[in-house]
């Protein structure tokens, strides 16, 4: 399928994001576009995904990737509005750190954690860039639907590896790439986009615009290997208890919506 196809599902794979056109990968332009998106209407349009949920129909309570976090130093990539850091703080993590591309999201996190009587070190920066986060410091780095915004996946994973202690864990989730290729038409699943198309595209959602690329699962796996990680576990299946009778859930019963990977720094 032509990379300029107008069909592009949203970040969770449910429905279309709007009119999408292929664009050249320009790191600075993509950062500006996505920063503006999250500084303005991002949360309103795409909502918030946070622990104990890794994404649609996948929960920490069921897959137990984090386990006991008490006494651990935790860094979240893409801290959003702060709910995941709250979840960990209430489970006695020793230190909470968060970074996000959007200053608006950082401020939301700061206000939310203050209201919960929790403290965190928060940094506004693209995940690819050096930003003063200490190296070989964290027990766990995690990301809920944020790593996929990176313009340099291998570079991002290498930087995340540098933040982790030896044998530290990296856990991240993103929209499953096969899910984003398939649409529901007349109660049938229809391929609308090539799984192999990893081109960048810009999508208009009302007055807002975002820029993304839909990477293959192997792209994430190989980038982890290049950055010095070994994969411990991968979750693709949905939690049956979370499924309902909506069209989105019907699709989720047929193919993965979210994937989650837990990797260990060598």
């Amino acid at each position: 399928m032509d990379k300029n196809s107008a069909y592009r599902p949203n970040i969770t794979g449910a429905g279309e994001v709007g009119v999408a056109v292929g664009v050249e990968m320009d790191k600075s332009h993509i950062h500006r576009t996505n920063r503006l998106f999250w500084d303005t209407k991002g949360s309103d349009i795409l909502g918030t995904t946070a622990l104990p949920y890794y994404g649609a129909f996948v929960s920490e309570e069921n897959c137990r990737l984090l386990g006991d976090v008490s006494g651990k130093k935790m860094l979240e990539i893409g801290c959003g509005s702060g709910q995941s850091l709250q979840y960990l703080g209430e489970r006695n993590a020793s230190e909470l750190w968060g970074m996000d591309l959007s200053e608006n999201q950082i401020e939301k996190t700061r206000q939310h954690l203050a209201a919960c009587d929790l403290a965190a070190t928060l940094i506004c920066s693209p995940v690819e860039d050096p930003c003063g986060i200490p190296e070989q410091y964290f027990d766990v780095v995690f990301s809920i639907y944020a790593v996929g915004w990176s313009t340099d996946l291998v570079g991002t994973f290498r930087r995340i590896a540098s933040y982790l202690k030896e044998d530290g864990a990296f856990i991240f989730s993103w929209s499953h790439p096969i899910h984003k290729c398939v649409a529901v038409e007349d109660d049938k699943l229809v391929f609308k986009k090539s799984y192999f198309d990893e081109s960048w595209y810009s999508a208009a959602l009302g007055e807002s615009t975002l820029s993304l690329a839909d990477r293959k699962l192997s792209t994430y796996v190989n980038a982890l290997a290049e950055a010095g990680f070994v994969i411990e576990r991968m979750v693709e299946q949905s939690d049956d208890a979370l499924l309902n009778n909506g069209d989105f859930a019907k699709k989720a019963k047929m193919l993965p919506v979210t994937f989650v990977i837990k990797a260990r720094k060598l």
Side-chain angles (χ1 to χ4, degrees):
M1 179 171 288
D2 181 6
K3 71 179 182 179
N4 291 317
S5 168
Y7 174 83
R8 294 282 179 165
N10 73 18
I11 194 172
T12 65
E16 297 183 22
V17 295
V19 177
V21 295
V23 295
E24 295 298 320
M25 206 293 285
D26 180 311
K27 176 180 174 179
S28 296
H29 175 74
I30 288 169
H31 284 167
R32 287 195 301 271
T33 298
N34 291 337
R35 182 182 294 111
L36 179 61
F37 176 75
W38 287 108
D39 276 345
T40 54
K41 298 292 185 178
S43 296
D44 296 335
I45 294 171
L46 294 181
T48 298
T49 303
L51 290 172
Y53 302 105
Y54 287 104
F57 313 121
V58 180
S59 70
E60 168 63 17
E61 271 72 8
N62 185 64
C63 59
R64 302 291 182 182
L65 297 177
L66 280 166
D68 183 10
V69 301
S70 59
K72 294 184 178 180
K73 298 174 181 177
M74 314 289 290
L75 167 64
E76 180 174 15
I77 305 298
C79 56
S81 299
Q83 289 94 333
S84 291
L85 290 175
Q86 175 195 355
Y87 178 88
L88 298 173
E90 291 174 346
R91 284 156 180 79
N92 301 313
S94 65
E95 288 188 32
L96 302 176
W97 291 61
M99 70 175 302
D100 202 285
L101 175 69
S102 162
E103 189 64 60
N104 179 268
Q105 297 293 301
I106 290 289
E107 184 57 31
K108 285 182 178 180
T109 296
R110 183 177 290 110
Q111 292 179 9
H112 180 74
L113 293 179
C116 299
D117 198 26
L118 292 168
T121 302
L122 304 175
I123 296 172
C124 185
S125 173
V127 64
E128 306 92 330
D129 295 349
C131 58
I133 292 176
E135 296 187 350
Q136 301 183 50
Y137 187 77
F138 296 94
D139 299 291
V140 179
V141 176
F142 72 100
S143 176
I144 311 298
Y145 270 60
V147 162
W149 296 90
S150 169
T151 60
D152 175 7
L153 204 60
V154 174
T156 292
F157 287 170
R158 284 176 175 160
R159 192 165 297 284
I160 288 170
S162 75
Y163 300 148
L164 283 165
K165 299 175 181 177
E166 185 176 349
D167 203 41
F170 173 37
I171 302 169
F172 73 94
S173 65
W174 189 251
S175 177
H176 199 290
I178 194 65
H179 188 85
K180 297 183 74 176
C181 296
V182 178
V184 179
E185 291 185 358
D186 299 324
D187 292 326
K188 296 180 181 179
L189 297 181
V190 180
F191 270 87
K192 300 295 292 287
K193 171 188 176 293
S194 170
Y195 175 82
F196 302 105
D197 177 9
E198 295 187 298
S199 59
W200 282 86
Y201 60 90
S202 180
L205 297 89
E207 297 179 356
S208 299
T209 302
L210 58 79
S211 292
L212 279 173
D214 299 326
R215 299 177 173 98
K216 304 188 299 291
L217 201 54
S218 60
T219 299
Y220 289 96
V221 171
N222 292 332
L224 284 168
E226 286 190 50
F229 285 102
V230 59
I231 294 175
E232 285 192 349
R233 190 173 170 199
M234 177 175 169
V235 177
E236 292 181 291
Q237 69 272 20
S238 299
D239 296 356
D240 290 339
L242 300 177
L243 293 171
N244 52 45
N245 295 319
D247 288 341
F248 189 31
K250 289 178 182 177
K251 186 178 173 185
K253 292 176 183 178
M254 300 292 289
L255 47 81
V257 175
T258 298
F259 77 92
V260 192
I261 290 178
K262 180 176 182 179
R264 186 75 58 180
K265 177 181 176 180
L266 294 176

